[in-house]
Every structure is written in C-alpha cells, then in structure tokens.
Amino acid sequence: MKKTPKAIIIRILKWIGISVSSILALLFILPILFPGKIAEEVKVFANKKLNGELNFKEANLSFFNHFPSLTLTLTDLSLKGSEPYKKETLLSADEVAFGIDLSSLLFDNKVNIDKIYISDAFINVLVNEKGEANYNVYISEEKAIEKDPSETALRLEKIAIENTHLVYNDKSAKMLIDAKGFNYVGNGDLDKSIFDLYTKARIESFDFTYDGEQYLKNKKVNADLITKINTNSLAFVFEQNNLKINKLPVEFKGKFDFLSNGYDMDFSVKSEDSHLSDFFSALPPQYVTWLDKSKVKGKTDLSMSLKGKYIASKNLKPNLAFNMKIREGYVNYNQAPVSASNIFLNFDTKLPSLDTEQLTVNLDSIFFNLDKDYVKAIVKTKGLATPNVDARIETKVNLATLNRAFGLQNIELRGTLNTNIRALGVYDKKNNKVPVTNGKIELKNGYIKTDYYPNPIKNINVIANIIDKKGSFDDLKIHITPAFFDFEGKPIFVNAMVENFQNIKYDIKAKGELDLGRIYKVFSLKGLDLKGFIQADVSFKGTQADAMNGNYTKLQNKGTLVLRDIKTSSEYLPKPFIIREGTFVFNQDKMNFNEFKATYGESDFKMNGFLQNVIDFVLTDKAILKGNFMLQSDFINVDEFMGKQTITIDYPPLSVPDEVKTESTVIIIPSNFNLEINAIAKKVNFEDLKLENLKGKMNINKGQLTLKNSAFDLIGANVKMDIVYGSQSPEKAFFDFKVNAKDFDIKRAYNEVKMFREMASAAESAEGIVSLDYNVAGILDNKMMPIYPSLTGGGTLSVNKVKMKGFKMFGTVSKKTGKDAIANPDLSKVDIKTKIKNNIITIERFKFKVAGFRPRIEGTTSFDGKLNIKMRLGLPPFGLLGIPLKITGTQENPKVQLGRQTEDLEETKYDGEVPTPLQSQPVTEGKQ
C-alpha cells in the first residue's frame, strides 16, 4: 500500500522527535553515567601535571554550560604559582571549565581535554628580577614514556577567556601590563608541537607601563592574530596581527622565544598612513578629552621595534627604536580663530641595549604655522651624561594665539616669544666642554595665569643672550638684560651677566618683593611646599677667583635680603626648616645674619653671625661655605634631624596602589660646609637623653661634626664631653666621644639613659654614686644606635659608694660559697678600669672589701651578656688565703665553679672601617 504524503511527513516528524528526544536524553544521561570517572580523572591529571596548589569549591558535568561541548566546570577555583611565588595566586576564577572529547569518552573510555573556558577571573603573572616566573606550573615530560591508554590527556583545540582581569608584572624587563575586561578566544590544534593559533581578543581597559613610566592607560584594544607556536622550544612567531588601540590601527609582527634564563625577542609595530586624530585617541585620557573639542587633520606613520635578548643575569638587553612622522597636520581647538597648520614632524630615537648612555634622539624636524607666526626646530642628541648636541630652534609666535589654537589646559599665556638658538658640540662638564652656542630669547609683555590661582604674573619682559664661540665653559656668556615682571601689584627686577664658568665673572642686580607661597600656587607644583616672603635689594659684581683668593676689595657685593616665614626643605633633612624672620646683609664676600629666628619641628634657634665664600658656593659645586655663628636655643630635639628614606614597593601586589614605607637614616653632615658654631641651649633631647644647660663649640667641616669643650647637666650630674661624628653612608655613621661625668646617680642613669641600660644591664637594682671617665669610638646604624662589635675604647668607672644590689653574679657566688654578705656588697672608693674591642669588655683586676672578705675580680664580658670572670675570694682577716672561682654563663644565668682555668669568650670582629679613638688626654674643662 502506497503511503500518503501525510503519513510520510508524520513518520519523518516521529523520527526527528525520537532523535531529538534521544539527544536530549543523552545530554542529561551522559553526565550522570560518567561524572565520577571524569571528575576523578581530572583530579588525578591535575595532581600529576600541575606544580601548584589547586583548590575549587565544586565540580559539575554538563552540556549546557558551553553547549554543545560536554564540560567539567570547577567553581571558585584558585591556583597558586610556581617557585619563587608558591604563595601568590596565579589564577582565581568564578568558573573554569574543561571541554571533554565526547567520542574518546564513549568509544575509547578515556578522557581527552580539548577545550578550556575561563570566566570572571584574575590572572596574575609574576616574574622577578632574575627572570623566574610563577606560570611554570605545568609539569612537562622530559622524554617519551609509554602511557596508559586510559590516562587523561590534554589535547587542546580551543581556549576561551571571558571578562577577566589580567596582570603581567615582569621585574626583569621592568614591564607592567594591566588589562581589565579581557576577552580572548584562541583556536588551533594545540596538541601538535608546532601549530597555528588563531586569536580574537578584546580588552576594555589596557594599561602599559615600562620602567615606571606609563605609556598607555585605559585603552580599548581589539586584536585579530595568527601566532605560530613551537611548544618544543616555547617559541612564538606573530605572523599576521591586526590591532586597534581605540581608533588607531596597528600592525604587529615578530617573534618571542622563552629561554632558560630570559627571553629572545624581535618585535615590530607599525601604523602606516593613519589619521592624526586616530593617533591622539590612543594617547592617555586627557588627550582624548581634548580631542573631543578639537579638529585634527593630517597623516601619521608610526613604527617601533624591540629586538634582541633579554637576560638579566648576563646584563643582556634588546635594542629599542621608535619613529614617528606627521604630514600636513592641522589642529584647531574649540573653533579658535587661528589654527596650527602645516604641522610637519620627523622624529626618530634609538636606545641600543636599553642603555641611556647610547640614547640617540633625532628630531629632524618639527614645524608649524600659526597664521604668519611659526615654530621650527631641529634637535639631535647622542648620549645622556655627556651628550653630543646639534640643535637649531627658531620661533616667532604670539603665545595667546598658540594657547587658543592648541587648547593648552589649566594655563593662559600671552605675549610675544621670539627665539633663535643654535648649538653644536659636546656637553662635558668634567672636560670643560659645552656646545658652541649662539642664542637669543626674547619675551615681550608676557602673561601667565593658571587655574590654581586667581591673579596672573604679568608684564613679563625678558631678553636673554647665550653665547659660546669656542665650545668651552670659560667662553660661555649668559646675559639677562633686563628681566622684570609684576605679581600682586609688586614689581620684580633682575639684571644679570654671568661669564666664564671656569672663573665666573658676574654682575647681578635684583630688587623687589616676592611672596613665594603665592608664586607656588600659580604653578601648583606637585611635591613642592614652599611658602614665605622675600624682599630683595642686592647687587653682586666680581669674579670667582677674587672671592676664592680673598681679594675682597675687588668685589662689589652689597645689599639686603629680608626673609619672613620661609619654609624650605633639604635633601639632608626630613622636616622643613622654617625661618620665622631674619635679615641678610651682603658685604663683599660675607653674608651677615642679623637676628635670625628659626624653627625645625619642636626645636627653636636664634642665630647671629656670618657666612663667607657665599658667591663661590652658589656659583660652583666645589666651593666650601665658611661661617661663624652664635646660636641660642631654648629647646633642641636632635631626633627630628634623623633622616627618613622613602622606599616604594610595587611588586607584589600588583592590582593595588603602591605600598610606601619609610626607613630611618643617620644624620648626614654636608661635605662642603666649614662652619663654627658657639652654641648655648637650655634643653636638648637625643633619643632618651635629656641634656640641660648645654654649652659648647661645634665645628662642621669636611662632612664631620666636632664638639669640643662642651658641658651640660644630665641626670643631676655635670658632664663634659668631646665628640667627633660623620656619616659613612645613609645607613651608617661613625662616632668618637670622650666623656667625663662626676658623681652621678647610678639608679637614675639606669632608669633614664637607654644606652646605659644596654651597656650596663646588670646595674638594674644597683644604688649609689659613681663617676665615669671614658673614651669610645665606633659605628652607628641607621637608627643611630651603636653596632657593638665596632666599638673600641676604654676608661675608668670610679665607685664612690654603691650598693651592688641585685647583681646575679654576686648572688650566685654567695650561694656557692655560703657567704651571705657577698650577695649585695657595698663598694666604696673602687676604680674599675675596662677596655672595649670586638664586642668584648675586658675588666682589669680590681679589689674591694666586704664584711671582712677581700674579693678580687678580673675577666671579660660581652655585649650580649656572656661572662668569663675570674674571682678570688680572699678570706678574713687579711685575705692571704683565698678561694679561686670562675664565673661563666650569662649575666642573667651566671655559673660559679671552683678553679682558675676559663675559656676565652668568642670575639666578634666588625667587618668595616672603624675610626681611631680620640687621644687619651683628659677632657678639658674649657671656658664656658
């Protein structure tokens, strides 16, 4: 019987329904049939193949997460990295899914992973200075071995990453990439040793930083890439790669090989015949905002290459090159009446081996018109420390027109700027070389106003000439005739002539009033906190040689400089130094200080005196500043003068702002000062020392501070002291001091002087009066505390009347000998002489009487409390017979035994330079 069309259609629909139902049934049944096997196989595979801690919340098997692939999905997954970052996260994700090859599962009963899906993840790649990375978590097989046919295999065909935050921080290459909203799909036969990877990538926000400088920020990136990958040598060849950074199209080619100790790279990035406006769209955000209001035309070519090996351990670095051209450029901001037109640029720079001393910059050339005005320049340099310069700069421009045409942000400029500068030659200060130069800069009716301050600096008029015909410092001439401007209704006038920088000839005049705080606000300089008021009426005329040789009659330096509330900072000091008021009076080579009042933190100073050799000091970096002052103070806090080093730690973490910590440094004494200061201070704090009625003569010379004939009161006793101090580095300083302290209370010394507690910790419970005549030299650490193995010196501790209460050594001797009187002996009129070297205090033999006994003590102790003491306990009535004892152990736990033989304490030598102690003559009384 022939079937009707209706029956055929019904039969087809029935089979379709059965097939679809079967498929749907399989979609639900297969995950139920195989979940244990697949989950277990993946876990075994992870444990065998991953060298990193893997954790996840749960595993789900389904066709529907990434249809039509059967996937094992791990939720809340985290994977730690490899050494040296085993504690740092390499990957964390809401979901990581592994695609399973269904045919292998059904017919071969084995699990083949052919796809990986990563969603909502954080990928954190770290590489340290040595080139060691945290991504080496996959354990590869060094040689082929026979595998179990049912073993889980990784044969990838697809990698998909969605909505991921990727950070790549490579300290060896000084490179940081931060990509947010990273979406990536890569397809290819990844199971082969050599394969092509077809990639599509989209990044919502891309940041690129090299060597601390940020080159790209918040850029959108779209990429279509073909990459040939060789897994045998871990090499990448970028064959066809089309990128778009915002609107700028970029062609990217090259290769990248992973070496055992670094990288081998050959990158080439080009953007040819692109629109100039598209180039600005790839720059940082502030330029993109500017571009919205600007009309930009023209063509640009860009190219960058990075070629060579980067091996940090061998100091090998690749060559970097960058080239940019602009043709027929045009910029008009916010419909300005005049546009910048005919913009032309040839810019080329090379950095061989990433070495700044080989840097070449070739700006050949730049040109643009502003109506009839123009700017043109050619600048070529080679090297950095001693650059070879070839520069020609010529401008004739109305600054107001330039301001409007380019839309300069946060600043308003006016005036006419004419420049004509030609420079050719080498700048080498050490060898008296400077480029042959002929230049003139003229600014008429200048005007500067910023958004940071309501009033402008106006009526700026400057004519400056720079001439050097021979190419040497002795032929260099700089003339500023004249320069003046108005600010806040107060005129400032400067007229200056400086010639011959080998023997500087100068003629400088300045007059006017200036509020430094308001000037600072005009420019809002980041990191600068400058305030104060200066009133000047000075003139300086003479030569450096006359100033150095004392030919003061040939100098014509005079005038006054009044300062008020000047807040200044120095690289040597961690806090600002504030001059409340003071007047400088210039007379030939001297700068007299008249009634200067200043503060530094809690400290206050009143100073009168003079500085000499000021002109030479200002004009050169080799001159010595001399001076003599009388300084008075009610309170000086020396601790506030201790420096602080700021250290930035940016690796790791990577996705949070830099952590900043500070470390102390020693007090740095400038090496180009020769100052003598007679000081009187009512109170001085240093660490826990509280000095009163300080008088002394201080000299700062050649990077050292010397305090002679000083006297002060400390813990109720009069102390005389000589000191020499100087820094060896920011972390170390040397000191050498002699002290003579008469009749001080030992209990107060222990309670109130930290150094005494550390050097004489056994005196915790002692009571009585002692005197000290001691000389110690050594090294201080960055916290201005002594490094004990460096200490050398010695002296005498004179005991007037002291109760040695609580000394564990005497207590232990008392128990061992059964003589209770020795436990807390009273000492009177005993001189204890000691020497210090290599962390050991050597105690010379001394005797005393206690309850009829005549103890005799000698030996050594160390700064960490170890004892090696010999003691003879002379018995009554005359001590002719005695008990020999040896005391070892520590001050906290002394051990007393009969006998004379002891073992020497181990010395700790200081590995570094230690100053020779001061001469051993007694501290002079000095006239106070």
Side-chain angles (χ1 to χ4, degrees):
M1 181 178 176
K2 190 176 181 179
K3 294 183 180 179
T4 64
K6 181 177 180 181
I8 293 172
I9 291 172
I10 291 174
R11 187 177 181 85
I12 291 172
L13 291 174
K14 180 188 289 185
W15 279 108
I16 290 173
I18 292 172
S19 299
V20 169
S21 299
S22 300
I23 291 171
L24 291 174
L26 282 172
L27 295 179
F28 285 100
I29 292 171
L30 283 175
I32 297 174
L33 293 175
F34 294 99
K37 175 177 178 57
I38 294 176
E40 185 62 31
E41 289 288 341
V42 170
K43 288 180 181 178
V44 171
F45 172 80
N47 288 329
K48 291 180 63 176
K49 295 296 184 181
L50 294 181
N51 180 26
E53 182 183 341
L54 177 69
N55 293 295
F56 55 89
K57 184 176 181 181
E58 59 183 3
N60 299 312
L61 191 65
S62 172
F63 279 100
F64 299 104
N65 286 352
H66 296 278
F67 188 81
S69 297
L70 175 63
T71 57
L72 176 70
T73 301
L74 307 180
T75 60
D76 293 339
L77 178 140
S78 70
L79 173 64
K80 301 292 185 182
S82 57
E83 290 288 0
Y85 297 105
K86 298 209 82 162
K87 295 183 179 180
E88 300 290 337
T89 298
L90 171 63
L91 169 67
S92 63
D94 289 354
E95 176 184 293
V96 174
F98 299 93
I100 310 299
D101 185 342
L102 190 59
S103 62
S104 298
L105 180 66
L106 292 174
F107 303 113
D108 299 332
N109 195 31
K110 64 180 180 180
V111 178
N112 281 342
I113 299 172
D114 59 4
K115 301 177 182 68
I116 293 179
Y117 303 90
I118 300 174
S119 302
D120 299 306
F122 174 54
I123 301 174
N124 184 29
V125 180
L126 302 172
V127 184
N128 67 10
E129 294 92 337
K130 298 178 181 179
E132 299 168 334
N134 70 334
Y135 51 72
N136 296 315
V137 294
Y138 183 71
I139 302 174
S140 60
E141 296 171 354
E142 296 183 1
K143 58 183 179 179
I145 57 175
E146 187 175 345
K147 295 183 180 180
D148 186 337
S150 64
E151 183 180 347
T152 300
L154 184 66
R155 297 193 175 98
L156 292 178
E157 297 176 1
K158 181 177 183 179
I159 299 175
I161 300 173
E162 291 183 349
N163 192 32
T164 288
H165 182 191
L166 168 67
V167 173
Y168 178 84
N169 193 333
D170 188 337
K171 289 201 77 175
S172 69
K174 299 180 182 179
M175 184 168 60
L176 172 63
I177 293 173
D178 191 348
K180 299 181 180 72
F182 177 59
N183 296 273
Y184 171 94
V185 177
N187 292 284
D189 194 351
L190 280 67
D191 182 43
K192 294 182 178 179
S193 60
I194 301 176
F195 62 91
D196 288 336
L197 178 65
Y198 298 86
T199 300
K200 288 186 178 292
R202 187 181 77 255
I203 302 172
E204 294 300 321
S205 175
F206 181 84
D207 298 350
F208 176 76
T209 301
Y210 176 74
D211 200 12
E213 292 291 330
Q214 192 167 54
Y215 293 92
L216 295 174
K217 183 176 176 61
N218 295 335
K219 297 303 165 192
K220 290 187 177 181
V221 176
N222 286 282
D224 226 337
L225 315 174
I226 299 176
T227 306
K228 184 178 290 293
I229 300 176
N230 186 334
T231 58
N232 292 328
S233 60
L234 200 56
F236 299 84
V237 178
F238 304 95
E239 294 183 327
Q240 179 183 331
N241 302 279
N242 298 314
L243 300 172
K244 186 172 277 190
I245 303 173
N246 276 10
K247 296 180 180 179
L248 181 68
V250 176
E251 180 184 330
F252 175 50
K253 292 184 178 180
K255 69 173 185 176
F256 190 87
D257 294 347
F258 283 89
L259 308 177
S260 61
N261 55 353
Y263 315 107
D264 188 5
M265 59 191 83
D266 186 355
F267 293 137
S268 174
V269 180
K270 293 182 180 179
S271 179
E272 296 181 335
D273 201 27
S274 302
H275 295 292
L276 186 58
S277 58
D278 293 343
F279 166 73
F280 279 102
S281 76
L283 295 178
Q286 60 266 33
Y287 295 98
V288 178
T289 304
W290 171 88
L291 189 62
D292 292 338
K293 297 181 180 180
S294 301
K295 186 176 182 180
V296 178
K297 295 187 292 185
K299 294 292 185 178
T300 181
D301 294 337
L302 298 167
S303 67
M304 186 183 77
S305 65
L306 186 64
K307 183 176 182 179
K309 293 182 179 181
Y310 196 107
I311 303 176
S313 60
K314 296 183 178 180
N315 199 30
L316 291 178
K317 297 178 182 179
N319 301 322
L320 175 67
F322 177 78
N323 180 274
M324 181 179 184
K325 293 182 175 66
I326 296 176
R327 299 290 184 269
E328 301 174 358
Y330 173 95
V331 174
N332 181 284
Y333 178 77
N334 204 22
Q335 300 180 345
V338 176
S339 305
S341 60
N342 300 321
I343 302 174
F344 178 93
L345 172 70
N346 279 341
F347 177 75
D348 184 75
T349 183
K350 293 180 174 65
L351 189 61
S353 299
L354 298 180
D355 181 4
T356 55
E357 289 307 318
Q358 300 184 57
L359 173 68
T360 62
V361 177
N362 189 353
L363 181 61
D364 181 26
S365 57
I366 183 171
F367 178 89
F368 63 85
N369 282 117
L370 288 165
D371 197 9
K372 295 181 180 181
D373 291 346
Y374 62 89
V375 172
K376 62 181 179 180
I378 296 174
V379 179
K380 301 178 182 180
T381 68
K382 185 175 182 179
L384 196 64
T386 57
N388 197 316
V389 179
D390 183 358
R392 282 169 280 179
I393 302 171
E394 188 177 340
T395 69
K396 181 184 177 184
V397 61
N398 185 304
L399 294 178
T401 303
L402 182 142
N403 201 132
R404 290 197 62 185
F406 284 104
L408 302 182
Q409 303 297 301
N410 306 319
I411 191 169
E412 181 182 352
L413 300 175
R414 297 179 196 169
T416 303
L417 177 64
N418 295 326
T419 64
N420 192 339
I421 301 172
R422 179 73 175 100
L424 179 64
V426 176
Y427 177 85
D428 185 351
K429 187 176 181 181
K430 183 179 179 180
N431 294 304
N432 187 30
K433 292 182 179 180
V434 68
V436 173
T437 305
N438 188 355
K440 183 177 181 179
I441 302 171
E442 183 177 6
L443 176 60
K444 294 181 179 179
N445 301 317
Y447 176 103
I448 300 175
K449 183 180 180 300
T450 69
D451 293 347
Y452 311 112
Y453 191 74
N455 298 324
I457 302 173
K458 57 186 180 179
N459 297 327
I460 307 170
N461 287 271
V462 179
I463 299 176
N465 290 278
I466 306 171
I467 300 172
D468 193 307
K469 296 180 180 180
K470 297 180 181 179
S472 60
F473 276 95
D474 54 11
D475 191 52
L476 181 59
K477 302 177 179 67
I478 299 175
H479 293 181
I480 301 175
T481 53
F484 56 87
F485 63 88
D486 290 340
F487 182 61
E488 295 284 7
K490 296 179 179 179
I492 303 294
F493 170 87
V494 177
N495 195 24
M497 180 275 291
V498 182
E499 298 179 354
N500 185 1
F501 280 68
Q502 290 295 94
N503 174 27
I504 295 177
K505 179 182 178 182
Y506 57 89
D507 187 352
I508 304 169
K509 296 181 178 67
K511 187 175 183 179
E513 298 180 4
L514 195 61
D515 188 325
L516 297 178
R518 293 181 178 181
I519 286 284
Y520 156 72
K521 289 179 182 177
V522 170
F523 296 100
S524 187
L525 300 177
K526 185 178 180 181
L528 176 64
D529 186 10
L530 182 63
K531 296 179 181 179
F533 175 84
I534 296 179
Q535 182 177 356
D537 186 359
V538 295
S539 64
F540 308 104
K541 187 176 182 179
T543 68
Q544 180 185 354
D546 287 335
M548 289 177 62
N549 297 325
N551 299 323
Y552 304 132
T553 57
K554 296 183 179 181
L555 303 178
Q556 300 177 40
N557 303 323
K558 59 183 179 180
T560 59
L561 196 65
V562 179
L563 309 182
R564 187 172 70 246
D565 295 330
I566 299 292
K567 184 178 182 181
T568 183
S569 58
S570 165
E571 60 181 309
Y572 301 112
L573 300 174
K575 289 188 176 184
F577 195 87
I578 301 173
I579 301 172
R580 299 298 180 189
E581 60 180 288
T583 302
F584 291 121
V585 178
F586 294 90
N587 182 19
Q588 305 302 59
D589 194 47
K590 281 188 178 180
M591 177 192 291
N592 292 291
F593 287 63
N594 292 344
E595 295 298 319
F596 256 70
K597 295 179 181 178
T599 59
Y600 180 84
E602 298 177 336
S603 307
D604 65 88
F605 305 93
K606 183 178 179 181
M607 189 163 56
N608 287 279
F610 68 87
L611 289 174
Q612 196 169 356
N613 202 29
V614 176
I615 300 299
D616 192 28
F617 180 79
V618 171
L619 296 178
T620 69
D621 56 3
K622 296 180 180 179
I624 304 297
L625 184 65
K626 302 176 182 179
N628 190 297
F629 295 96
M630 182 66 193
L631 184 146
Q632 294 176 289
S633 176
D634 289 331
F635 178 66
I636 300 175
N637 188 351
V638 178
D639 297 343
E640 295 179 316
F641 287 82
M642 292 175 64
K644 300 289 182 183
Q645 285 183 315
T646 301
I647 300 174
T648 302
I649 302 172
D650 60 355
Y651 178 81
L654 303 166
S655 57
V656 297
D658 293 348
E659 176 190 352
V660 176
K661 71 175 184 178
T662 58
E663 289 188 356
S664 298
T665 64
V666 299
I667 299 172
I668 305 294
I669 307 297
S671 60
N672 54 350
F673 285 1
N674 183 1
L675 306 176
E676 188 173 296
I677 302 171
N678 291 285
I680 299 175
K682 293 181 180 178
K683 292 184 179 181
V684 177
N685 276 11
F686 174 52
E687 295 289 343
D688 63 340
L689 295 177
K690 300 186 185 303
L691 315 182
E692 296 181 343
N693 302 319
L694 171 67
K695 295 180 181 179
K697 184 178 181 180
M698 181 170 64
N699 185 267
I700 299 172
N701 189 18
K702 297 180 181 179
Q704 293 187 13
L705 181 149
T706 304
L707 185 63
K708 291 184 178 180
N709 304 332
S710 65
F712 54 86
D713 295 331
L714 174 66
I715 58 172
N718 183 256
V719 180
K720 295 177 176 61
M721 184 179 292
D722 287 354
I723 298 176
V724 176
Y725 169 89
S727 58
Q728 293 180 326
S729 71
E731 292 79 31
K732 289 184 180 179
F734 66 85
F735 75 95
D736 187 347
F737 81 88
K738 292 183 66 176
V739 60
N740 189 319
K742 292 185 177 180
D743 300 332
F744 67 89
D745 188 320
I746 194 170
K747 191 171 188 64
R748 283 191 64 182
Y750 186 90
N751 292 334
E752 300 179 28
V753 181
K754 181 179 179 182
M755 186 179 292
F756 185 85
R757 284 197 301 274
E758 293 182 349
M759 297 182 69
S761 58
E764 180 177 5
S765 301
E767 298 177 2
I769 304 299
V770 298
S771 297
L772 182 67
D773 186 355
Y774 224 82
N775 175 202
V776 177
I779 305 298
L780 301 172
D781 63 16
N782 64 335
K783 296 181 181 178
M784 297 293 287
M785 294 302 296
I787 300 174
Y788 292 117
S790 73
L791 299 182
T792 61
T796 302
L797 177 68
S798 299
V799 178
N800 186 8
K801 189 175 182 180
V802 173
K803 187 174 184 63
M804 305 293 284
K805 182 180 178 182
F807 278 70
K808 293 185 178 181
M809 185 184 77
F810 287 111
T812 304
V813 171
S814 175
K815 290 181 181 179
K816 288 287 184 180
T817 60
K819 311 300 182 183
D820 294 340
I822 299 175
N824 297 300
D826 291 333
L827 304 186
S828 180
K829 296 181 180 180
V830 176
D831 290 340
I832 305 174
K833 295 181 179 181
T834 60
K835 294 181 181 179
I836 299 174
K837 189 175 183 180
N838 297 336
N839 205 42
I840 300 295
I841 303 171
T842 302
I843 306 166
E844 295 185 11
R845 181 180 294 184
F846 69 95
K847 303 175 183 179
F848 59 95
K849 296 178 182 180
V850 54
F853 294 95
R854 295 173 182 260
R856 186 181 74 196
I857 296 176
E858 60 185 307
T860 58
T861 179
S862 64
F863 281 108
D864 53 4
K866 294 178 181 178
L867 300 175
N868 179 27
I869 304 294
K870 296 178 182 179
M871 183 175 181
R872 180 183 183 277
L873 185 60
L875 301 175
F878 302 110
L880 297 177
L881 299 176
I883 303 173
L885 302 172
K886 57 181 180 181
I887 304 166
T888 57
T890 66
Q891 293 177 4
E892 291 297 318
N893 185 25
K895 298 177 180 179
V896 177
Q897 296 173 303
L898 290 172
R900 293 185 176 87
Q901 297 298 320
T902 60
E903 293 185 4
D904 293 339
L905 296 179
E906 183 178 355
E907 296 184 355
T908 304
K909 293 185 178 181
Y910 176 70
D911 185 15
E913 182 183 354
V914 179
T916 303
L918 291 169
Q919 297 299 317
S920 58
Q921 73 268 17
V923 176
T924 55
E925 296 288 338
K927 295 181 180 180
Q928 304 298 335

